[in-house]
Amino acid sequence: MPKALLPDLFSRWFADRGWRARPHQLEMIEAARAGEDALLIAPTGGGKTLGGFLPSLISLADIAGEGPKRPHRLHTLYISPLKALSVDVARNLMIPVDELGLDIRIETRTGDTPPARRQRQRDKPPDILLTTPEQLALFCASPNARAWFADLQRIIVDEIHALAPQKRGDLLSLGLATLADWSPAARRAGLSATVSDEGGLARWLTPQSDAPRFARIVRGRDGPKPQIDILASRERIPWSGHSGRHAMAEVYEAIRSARLTLVFVNTRSQAEHTFQELWRLNDDGLAIALHHGSLAVEQRRKVEAAMASGKLKAVVCTSTLDLGIDWGDVDLVIQMGAPKGSARLIQRLGRSNHRLDEPSRALLAPTNRFEHLECEAARAAVAEGVLDGEPLRAGALDVLAQHMTGRACGEPVSADRLYAEVTAAAPYSALSRADFDRVLEFCSTGGYALDSYERFRRLIKNRDGLWQARNARVAQRHRMNVGTIIEAEMLAIVLSSPVRGGGGPRSGRRGDLPPSVLRTTPPAGGGRKTMRRRGRPLGEVEEWFIEQLTPGDTFVFGGEVLEFQGISENAALVSRSADPEPKVPSYQGGKFPLSTYLAKRVREIAHDPAQWHVLPEQVRDWLALQKEKSRLPQPDDLLVETFPKHGKFYLVCYPFEGRLAHQSLGMLLTRRLERMRLRPTGFVANEYALAVWGLRDMASADMDALFSEDMLGDDLDAWLAESPLMKRTFKNCAIISGLIERRLPGHEKTSRQVTFSADLIYDVLREHEQEHILLQAAWRDAATGLLDIRRLGEALRRVKGQIHAIDLPRVSPLAVPVMLEIGREPVYGEAQESILADAAEDLISEMLGDG
């Protein structure tokens, strides 16, 4: 690359630090000068963020010398999926800005930004604004936004791979399409370390106005191969379960030997459990923290600040810390349980040794025997540079409805111009005008089944033939409900204090910092109080979990054992407890599906004894016993086992396609088995297998007919029509589309109010307008997300004519893990491990019997 790409000021800055601009950073400058959009794919620690911002800094350096009185114009808009990432990037970006002596105004704008600062930003835009997709959607729904963005020169989308396949990505793509109209000179840059579909993302990033366009793909050179070890525990490896308790002492020893460790888990309940187990072992008084999305934002910020200042030894975290944030001194990443995808593992690996020339270091800690196979598959995928990830798909209609309403709330707009704008967004480039008009009709009347209700009439045509919000109240309520993140209804967890009476004595042996930030004090004891007052908020937990509790019950949250006192003003009041057997909150979000690529690799490992040498002896013996007692699954077939047990008959199959696809298969199989008069009575699924049981022997069933792909037609439609799943899915679509508003001026609807309204509307539409766009959106969400129908269909096509059924006298070794899921109740900690161990012993004894 020509050296002239880098101005002297920047060349000296690199030289003063003993650095050289990397080729991909220079190519990003070249692309910007050529007026091209660019997708930068570079490994973590490779200067990706600086590569995205260098064209902006170079451009702003030319005008920064004009002094503080220069006009306020927004030059660069940076968008990331996490508020914390925006704050982190802003902090890191100020280092070169200060060292270069640039007078540049850089600010963040997130949901946590105070209203006064937001208003100041509207009056006096910064040079660089770092924000989130939801904030861009709010701008699109605000008056005068066109003028505010008129001078925009550059848009940077960070962690683009995480946004594009989701509904948040649909909303962002529509916002970017609006910016293409408002700010036609603005060029775009996408940043990512893990891209499986380069062409798809390069097209997603760029406006598709006239002919399909693709951003220039810029690749950074690979860094050193990561060092990935898999923990082969000295303890007995469980057949089932996800707690990892058997390996926790070895995980603790790994934390002791590292400088700073991030312990990643896949769910928030796992985070709570892992944190408790590490605390139980923490005789050294290590500073271990907890970080997940349900903790109060103040607690999360304290943890992040403690990490940045080097006060921590380890942090147990969920995906809240696996995107982009540079924590500097992290030298070890531990993944509890299987990562479920190679791209996710690479992303988490990148948090360790966040420098291009140093290898990342990770320890995978499988929590059961199947997960050892999955961890080996993930390690091999990383070594081969194979990436998986969610596929890009057509844009969601409920998101489109939200955007179209927002655009009309911001400024009057013509239908023709809005259609051209919407179809410039890659996810909506194939949207027909007929479907666009149906969505517009929905935004204006709710659809013909609802058009007699005034509250669903949000848009009207003005005398110029332009669409606008019906009144200011509609616009205000829309802006209060912008976004696509729909989580289960949450209740605040508030640490209450007694109005009178004393509590149990607090004990402390490791300092006095808050346990939810640095676990340095054990949970306090104390008796129950009958009169309490609200105190410090600890975070949020799903409402349905709290509804199962009665006063006096205990549960784990924020790394502490808490006793439930009662509910007051939409908050759950709690006190600290020393109960050794609390419950663990269950969160509906955060469960990752096993990727298709890893599922294939697991099948390959399982069927090939030549690949077993990397597995622990216990796992090798388990697979060998399966080969002796039954048959090993093959990569491209479906093994189906049938056997009797305790007066019932069981069918177990091994698709290895993930829990969602298996649950869908279970629902559909039971319908077919009922028609075959085999009287199924239940099913259970895990990531790798499905078990169905009933009152009649299923060995005689025609397996090719039973597993025929046509179950995804009428059977699926009939089941969905009867399932409460569709109502829950419809509720989410109704909220995103704006048909149902959760937040209103002065108050927020309860979950019961929202559910009641959604169910009522669903029933009306099912009876009177079955082709309504929200019913279509809900069906697609259920099929592609909650049920994973696409993946199930691919699996059924793969195994067509390749189904191998074996009738056994008793349970097989491979069936033991999924059989242990039957009737399992969520029990915390040691009690759970004991129950699973006892059940496993019974099944193993039966399995090893003569036959």
Side-chain angles (χ1 to χ4, degrees):
M1 294 289 175
K3 190 173 182 180
L5 282 173
L6 206 60
D8 289 342
L9 175 65
F10 290 83
S11 295
R12 289 195 302 271
W13 179 76
F14 275 99
D16 288 346
R17 279 141 196 82
W19 300 346
R20 287 189 302 173
R22 295 193 166 102
H24 60 268
Q25 295 172 333
L26 294 173
E27 190 174 353
M28 291 296 287
I29 300 171
E30 182 186 63
R33 289 187 180 176
E36 299 178 41
D37 300 327
L39 172 63
L40 173 56
I41 305 168
T44 299
K48 186 166 61 268
T49 304
L50 184 58
F53 277 103
L54 268 176
S56 298
L57 297 181
I58 291 170
S59 176
L60 286 166
D62 294 335
I63 62 173
E66 297 176 11
K69 293 186 178 181
R70 62 188 169 86
H72 285 264
R73 297 191 181 100
L74 180 65
H75 181 282
T76 296
L77 182 70
Y78 166 92
I79 301 169
S80 79
L82 297 177
K83 292 183 285 188
L85 182 55
S86 294
V87 173
D88 180 71
V89 168
R91 181 176 62 245
N92 291 333
L93 186 60
M94 286 307 302
I95 296 173
V97 167
D98 289 342
E99 291 176 347
L100 286 161
L102 302 179
D103 181 18
I104 295 176
R105 298 181 286 258
I106 300 175
E107 295 186 18
T108 61
R109 184 187 181 98
T110 71
D112 298 332
T113 303
R117 188 185 304 168
R118 293 190 197 188
Q119 184 56 50
R120 178 174 54 78
Q121 290 170 346
R122 293 298 298 264
D123 296 338
K124 296 181 177 180
D127 298 306
I128 299 175
L129 182 68
L130 300 96
T131 190
T132 61
E134 290 72 24
Q135 292 300 310
L136 177 57
L138 278 170
F139 274 115
C140 290
S142 301
N144 304 316
R146 179 186 293 272
W148 199 80
F149 283 105
D151 299 304
L152 185 67
Q153 299 297 307
R154 189 163 178 80
I155 304 166
I156 301 171
V157 182
D158 205 352
E159 305 295 351
I160 187 172
H161 69 281
L163 283 169
Q166 304 175 355
K167 286 192 176 184
R168 289 184 83 198
D170 293 344
L171 188 64
L172 175 57
S173 72
L174 291 166
L176 294 177
T178 300
L179 291 182
D181 179 34
W182 292 349
S183 317
R187 298 275 65 85
R188 305 178 185 188
L191 310 179
S192 177
T194 51
V195 175
S196 57
D197 181 4
E198 294 182 357
L201 276 187
R203 183 172 181 269
W204 185 95
L205 182 63
T206 301
Q208 305 296 304
S209 48
D210 299 319
R213 292 172 51 195
F214 294 81
R216 179 197 293 205
I217 297 176
V218 179
R219 298 181 183 85
R221 70 175 179 85
D222 293 336
K225 290 290 185 183
Q227 175 188 334
I228 303 176
D229 297 313
I230 298 176
L231 178 62
S233 177
R234 299 181 295 271
E235 303 298 323
R236 185 174 183 275
I237 302 172
W239 294 69
S240 184
H242 296 281
S243 73
R245 190 173 188 274
H246 71 288
M248 209 62 73
E250 292 152 311
V251 169
Y252 179 76
E253 287 304 314
I255 291 172
R256 283 186 59 192
S257 63
R259 183 170 61 249
L260 174 56
T261 302
L262 290 183
V263 183
F264 280 106
V265 296
N266 292 338
T267 68
R268 287 170 279 181
S269 57
Q270 272 184 301
E272 294 283 356
H273 169 74
T274 299
F275 186 80
Q276 283 290 309
E277 290 298 314
L278 289 174
W279 168 244
R280 184 176 59 84
L281 298 167
N282 192 12
D283 292 331
D284 302 289
L286 305 181
I288 301 175
L290 177 65
H291 194 286
H292 63 67
S294 288
L295 294 176
V297 63
E298 295 80 10
Q299 300 294 349
R300 298 200 302 273
R301 296 296 174 263
K302 287 179 182 178
V303 171
E304 293 160 13
M307 285 183 69
S309 60
K311 294 179 180 178
L312 294 180
K313 186 69 172 175
V315 180
V316 178
C317 55
T318 58
S319 55
T320 51
L321 292 184
D322 71 4
L323 287 178
I325 300 174
D326 182 4
W327 298 117
D329 288 336
V330 175
D331 61 334
L332 176 64
V333 164
I334 296 177
Q335 168 67 47
M336 292 299 301
K340 304 301 173 190
S342 62
R344 182 173 297 108
L345 177 57
I346 290 172
Q347 194 72 42
R348 292 179 170 182
L349 268 170
R351 303 308 103 216
S352 163
N353 291 332
H354 201 276
R355 293 169 286 276
L356 182 63
D357 300 324
E358 294 186 28
S360 299
R361 189 162 66 95
L363 176 66
L364 309 186
T367 60
N368 59 55
R369 299 187 180 204
F370 262 126
E371 282 195 345
H372 270 278
L373 276 68
E374 189 180 334
C375 286
E376 287 292 349
R379 177 163 66 174
V382 172
E384 296 168 14
V386 176
L387 290 172
D388 48 25
E390 294 181 66
L392 298 175
R393 47 161 185 63
L397 295 179
D398 53 340
V399 178
L400 176 60
Q402 180 182 135
H403 175 76
M404 290 168 65
T405 302
R407 286 287 282 113
C409 289
E411 64 179 18
V413 61
S414 76
D416 291 343
R417 184 164 187 169
L418 187 55
Y419 176 67
E421 177 185 305
V422 163
T423 52
Y428 297 92
S429 59
L431 181 74
S432 70
R433 181 60 190 252
D435 284 342
F436 171 87
D437 289 338
R438 289 177 61 221
V439 176
L440 184 57
E441 176 67 17
F442 162 74
C443 294
S444 61
T445 68
Y448 77 78
L450 302 175
D451 65 4
S452 60
Y453 298 91
E454 184 178 349
R455 62 192 176 100
F456 298 131
R457 297 179 181 178
R458 291 172 289 168
L459 305 185
I460 58 172
K461 257 188 182 181
N462 64 21
R463 63 183 62 186
D464 297 321
L466 303 180
W467 289 96
Q468 66 182 45
R470 186 159 61 92
N471 52 45
R473 187 165 172 263
V474 166
Q476 178 192 22
R477 288 164 60 153
H478 172 84
R479 288 190 283 267
M480 292 179 68
N481 289 276
V482 157
T484 64
I485 300 174
I486 306 294
E487 294 186 345
E489 295 298 327
M490 310 291 278
L491 280 179
I493 302 296
V494 175
L495 187 64
S496 63
S497 56
V499 176
R500 60 175 179 264
R506 288 199 58 133
S507 60
R509 57 183 175 135
R510 295 173 184 145
D512 57 1
L513 290 172
S516 53
V517 180
L518 306 178
R519 189 49 182 262
T520 52
T521 59
R528 290 173 57 192
K529 309 296 181 299
T530 56
M531 298 182 63
R532 310 195 70 84
R533 62 188 176 206
R534 291 171 63 114
R536 179 168 61 90
L538 301 178
E540 295 180 317
V541 72
E542 289 184 357
E543 184 178 35
W544 75 267
F545 175 81
I546 294 296
E547 288 176 346
Q548 299 176 69
L549 303 180
T550 57
D553 285 348
T554 58
F555 62 99
V556 178
F557 185 82
E560 300 185 79
V561 179
L562 304 174
E563 180 180 319
F564 176 59
Q565 303 293 333
I567 295 177
S568 172
E569 299 176 2
N570 293 324
L573 303 184
V574 299
S575 60
R576 292 191 173 96
S577 170
D579 186 351
E581 293 188 4
K583 298 180 181 180
V584 177
S586 178
Y587 304 89
Q588 293 179 356
K591 295 181 175 67
F592 300 120
L594 176 67
S595 75
T596 302
Y597 179 81
L598 286 194
K600 181 175 184 294
R601 294 294 295 259
V602 169
R603 290 194 299 269
E604 291 171 351
I605 294 171
H607 101 282
D608 184 8
Q611 299 188 49
W612 296 355
H613 65 280
V614 295
L615 301 171
E617 182 179 4
Q618 297 177 59
V619 180
R620 295 199 303 269
D621 291 346
W622 170 54
L623 295 175
L625 195 59
Q626 171 69 17
K627 185 178 181 181
E628 173 189 335
K629 298 285 186 181
S630 176
R631 184 178 183 273
L632 292 169
Q634 304 298 302
D636 293 314
D637 74 4
L638 180 64
L639 173 62
V640 179
E641 298 171 333
T642 52
F643 50 84
K645 175 177 165 56
H646 295 169
K648 294 182 182 177
F649 296 92
Y650 289 80
L651 180 153
V652 177
C653 59
Y654 306 92
F656 291 89
E657 293 294 346
R659 188 181 298 267
L660 292 180
H662 294 170
Q663 287 175 336
S664 302
L665 180 60
M667 297 167 190
L668 297 172
L669 281 182
T670 52
R671 294 179 68 89
R672 288 199 161 177
L673 289 166
E674 285 171 358
R675 289 204 299 270
M676 295 178 179
R677 302 184 183 280
L678 292 175
R679 301 179 66 185
T681 56
F683 72 89
V684 70
N686 63 16
E687 293 288 328
Y688 316 99
L690 166 70
V692 182
W693 58 92
L695 302 179
R696 292 183 178 172
D697 191 353
M698 291 174 269
S700 60
D702 181 342
M703 295 299 173
D704 287 324
L706 184 61
F707 287 91
S708 172
E709 185 187 355
D710 63 9
M711 73 167 66
L712 301 183
D714 293 341
D715 279 343
L716 177 62
D717 290 338
W719 177 80
L720 279 177
E722 300 167 4
S723 171
L725 177 69
M726 272 301 290
K727 284 193 172 183
R728 295 201 302 271
T729 308
F730 176 84
K731 179 181 75 172
N732 291 344
C733 292
I735 291 171
I736 290 172
S737 70
L739 189 69
I740 294 177
E741 297 161 328
R742 291 177 297 174
R743 303 176 188 92
L744 300 170
H747 73 283
E748 187 166 335
K749 290 182 180 178
T750 66
S751 60
R752 287 186 179 87
Q753 288 172 323
V754 170
T755 299
F756 179 81
S757 297
D759 288 354
L760 187 62
I761 295 172
Y762 177 82
D763 291 338
V764 168
L765 296 181
R766 283 282 302 171
E767 183 174 355
H768 298 289
E769 194 178 353
Q770 293 189 11
E771 298 302 314
H772 194 278
I773 63 160
L774 283 195
L775 291 180
Q776 292 183 4
W779 195 97
R780 194 175 84 170
D781 277 4
T784 58
L786 297 173
L787 300 180
D788 215 346
I789 296 301
R790 175 192 58 82
R791 185 164 173 185
L792 177 56
E794 292 172 355
L796 294 175
R797 286 190 290 274
R798 186 188 75 244
V799 304
K800 184 177 182 180
Q802 300 291 326
I803 298 175
H804 294 269
I806 299 180
D807 191 26
L808 301 172
R810 57 184 60 87
V811 62
S812 74
L814 221 57
V816 170
V818 72
M819 295 289 287
L820 287 170
E821 300 279 345
I822 297 174
R824 181 174 159 197
E825 295 294 330
V827 183
Y828 172 70
E830 190 170 0
Q832 179 191 59
E833 299 299 318
S834 176
I835 291 170
L836 285 175
D838 291 346
E841 290 299 331
D842 292 342
L843 281 172
I844 294 164
S845 296
E846 179 182 339
M847 174 192 71
L848 294 175
D850 296 331

